[in-house]
Amino acid sequence: MKKILNVLIVFSLVFFYSCDPKNSDYDIDNATTGVSGGAIVAISANSDGKLLGAPSSSDLSTATVAFSSNSLTLEVILMSGGQDVTGYELTKSINGGAEVTAASSATLPISLTYSTIDEYISGLGTSVDDLRIGDVITFRTKIIKSDGSVYFAGPNEGNFNVTINCSADLTGTYSVSNTGCSLPMPDVTITANADGTWHLTRADGGFLSSCTTNSTLFNFGNITVVCGAVLPTGDLDFGSDNSSYDIGDISGGSWDAVTGTLTMEHSQTFTTNWPAEWTSTYVRQ
């Protein structure tokens, strides 16, 4: 009976997450609250950005980067509204610093295309030699209404991040195991996201769907790999970034490009009936 209750609780997560108020349409910045008559926008699915290169040393905090792949195709499209809007801007910043306007238009779509690192950093007050692995250039969509008020589209609608990273390719199909249980695991597919992160069809090592009674909850997620190191994240379907639970949160890991092996450390506090921590291993087929 206890197992059935756990299943019902987890299924209720799906329902309540779909109504999560933190995923709102507006991220108000230097503007009024309760925006009406504005616009809801989205980043086009065709958008893609890369800032890839090799660090000059293993100390990533001081190593300069020899860039080898620099490109951006970014387009913001209108989803609804816009009747009371007089203009749109794409702003950019580095590591949360001062924003500058990268493009502007009276209507949507609005787009940017870059092919060099100099275009990325133009206007940001930094040089190529200042850039480090892990630096993030953020693009945001500013919306200007006819009454002069200004607001930014919400981070899930109008933001696009490009992280300076080492060249890597995790795409493929993987066999999976984890130390949480010894049951058979289905294969997992890893694909590239437009912002340079990686999408896993099961990001917890198959734990939720295979080690518990929740066989239909795949717990997909996204990870960032920086020069072979997996960065900590809760960006799983049932992770702490997307719900009030932390099932499968990733505290770190590693990527071995030679053997095609991804290893990650996971944790959960949802229930004491499950292991609090486990290690997952993905091997590319």
Side-chain angles (χ1 to χ4, degrees):
M1 195 64 178
K2 184 179 294 184
K3 291 183 179 179
I4 295 174
L5 180 60
N6 284 340
V7 175
L8 292 175
I9 292 173
V10 175
F11 269 111
S12 71
L13 280 172
V14 181
F15 176 79
F16 286 114
Y17 171 63
S18 66
C19 302
D20 191 344
K22 72 181 179 182
N23 294 323
S24 58
D25 291 332
Y26 304 113
D27 177 22
I28 307 302
D29 187 346
N30 298 325
T32 59
T33 58
V35 175
S36 62
I40 297 177
V41 305
I43 301 296
S44 167
N46 295 322
S47 297
D48 182 77
K50 294 183 179 67
L51 284 173
L52 303 176
S56 60
S57 73
S58 59
D59 184 355
L60 299 184
S61 64
T62 60
T64 57
V65 182
F67 287 93
S68 58
S69 181
N70 316 297
S71 63
L72 177 70
T73 301
L74 176 58
E75 183 179 48
V76 180
I77 58 177
L78 181 66
M79 301 299 290
S80 65
Q83 296 88 347
D84 195 25
V85 173
T86 59
Y88 303 87
E89 292 183 15
L90 271 173
T91 69
K92 64 180 179 180
S93 63
I94 183 167
N95 297 332
E99 292 183 311
V100 299
T101 299
S104 60
S105 175
T107 59
L108 292 181
I110 184 173
S111 61
L112 276 176
T113 302
Y114 292 164
S115 59
T116 68
I117 184 62
D118 289 333
E119 290 173 296
Y120 264 105
I121 63 175
S122 176
L124 295 179
T126 191
S127 69
V128 174
D129 289 342
D130 295 327
L131 300 176
R132 298 292 180 265
I133 296 291
D135 286 348
V136 181
I137 296 181
T138 298
F139 297 89
R140 296 207 297 164
T141 306
K142 181 189 290 185
I143 301 169
I144 306 163
K145 295 181 63 181
S146 59
D147 62 4
S149 60
V150 174
Y151 66 98
F152 283 89
N156 292 331
E157 288 81 32
N159 286 18
F160 191 80
N161 296 321
V162 182
T163 301
I164 298 175
N165 207 339
C166 296
S167 300
D169 184 6
L170 275 69
T171 56
T173 300
Y174 292 72
S175 61
V176 182
S177 62
N178 71 64
T179 60
C181 70
S182 58
L183 297 173
M185 303 285 166
D187 288 345
V188 167
T189 300
I190 300 181
T191 54
N193 292 321
D195 60 0
T197 60
W198 302 95
H199 180 78
L200 285 68
T201 52
R202 287 172 172 82
D204 62 355
F207 179 85
L208 185 58
S209 61
S210 297
C211 296
T212 77
T213 59
N214 304 289
S215 60
T216 61
L217 303 182
F218 298 155
N219 211 11
F220 57 82
N222 304 292
I223 62 172
T224 299
V225 179
V226 177
C227 298
V230 179
L231 301 188
T233 183
D235 188 14
L236 292 76
D237 194 25
F238 295 101
S240 58
D241 287 2
N242 296 316
S243 70
S244 58
Y245 296 86
D246 61 353
I247 302 172
D249 274 15
I250 298 164
S251 59
S254 63
W255 161 248
D256 186 332
V258 176
T259 63
T261 302
L262 173 69
T263 304
M264 297 188 291
E265 303 296 329
H266 305 269
S267 62
Q268 67 85 26
T269 60
F270 175 67
T271 173
T272 57
N273 294 330
W274 301 343
E277 298 177 342
W278 64 94
T279 301
S280 65
T281 302
Y282 298 68
V283 180
R284 185 154 55 188
Q285 301 302 290

